[in-house]
Amino acid sequence: MGPPLTAILASFIRRRGVRRREGLETAHRPAKLLELYSFEGCPFCRVAREALNELDLDYVHRTAPKGNDARRAEVRGLVGLAQFPVLVDPNTAVTMAESADIVRYLERTYGPGTRPAP
Ligand SMILES: N[C@@H](CCC(=O)N[C@@H](CS)C(=O)NCC(=O)O)C(=O)O
């Protein structure tokens, strides 16, 4: 059995954003764990998870499958709607939705050649 369609789709989407990851020895590492609200079967969530993996970033996964009303309400409180993925970075007080924005943020903040914010 091959990978599910969502995995193929997510990898396709990801290819436009995250490409080769080299030079992580010069990457800034967060002091506090990042947090990601996501769920399986969500291709956009997978894009965010893959970016975290490629940048070698540890994170707390706050799983929010359909039916987890409490967790989904938590996300509505954070970004105003139940849309996934959502990244929380306690190091910079950034909370954000939109997978492409999350990938961009992670690259700029924790990608090769990054430095801690002054
Ligand atoms: N443009 C958004 C789309 C995100 C999106 O559509 N996420 C879906 C799941 S794949 C969602 O949150 N659906 C609402 C829900 O599950 O309740 C992104 O790239 O992050």
Side-chain angles (χ1 to χ4, degrees):
M1 202 170 79
L5 185 59
T6 52
I8 294 167
L9 182 62
S11 293
F12 174 75
I13 294 167
R14 181 174 68 85
R15 213 151 276 153
R16 296 186 312 181
V18 180
R19 293 175 195 275
R20 283 187 321 145
R21 286 289 155 251
E22 289 173 353
L24 283 180
E25 64 280 356
T26 63
H28 170 49
R29 302 286 85 186
K32 297 178 196 159
L33 281 176
L34 305 177
E35 299 171 27
L36 186 76
Y37 291 81
S38 86
F39 64 94
E40 290 301 325
C42 162
F44 298 98
C45 299
R46 193 181 176 98
V47 169
R49 290 197 303 270
E50 289 188 2
L52 286 158
N53 291 339
E54 293 224 5
L55 291 171
D56 205 10
L57 291 165
D58 291 337
Y59 64 98
V60 175
H61 185 234
R62 303 208 183 281
T63 188
K66 291 183 192 300
N68 187 339
D69 295 337
R71 185 50 58 76
R72 285 170 164 259
E74 205 174 309
V75 167
R76 266 195 298 280
L78 287 173
V79 291
L81 73 169
Q83 179 183 293
F84 304 87
V86 167
L87 178 77
V88 177
D89 185 348
N91 303 281
T92 55
V94 161
T95 297
M96 65 196 306
E98 288 299 332
S99 55
D101 293 346
I102 290 171
V103 171
R104 206 171 301 121
Y105 170 81
L106 290 172
E107 288 180 329
R108 286 180 183 164
T109 313
Y110 301 115
T114 47
R115 294 276 173 274

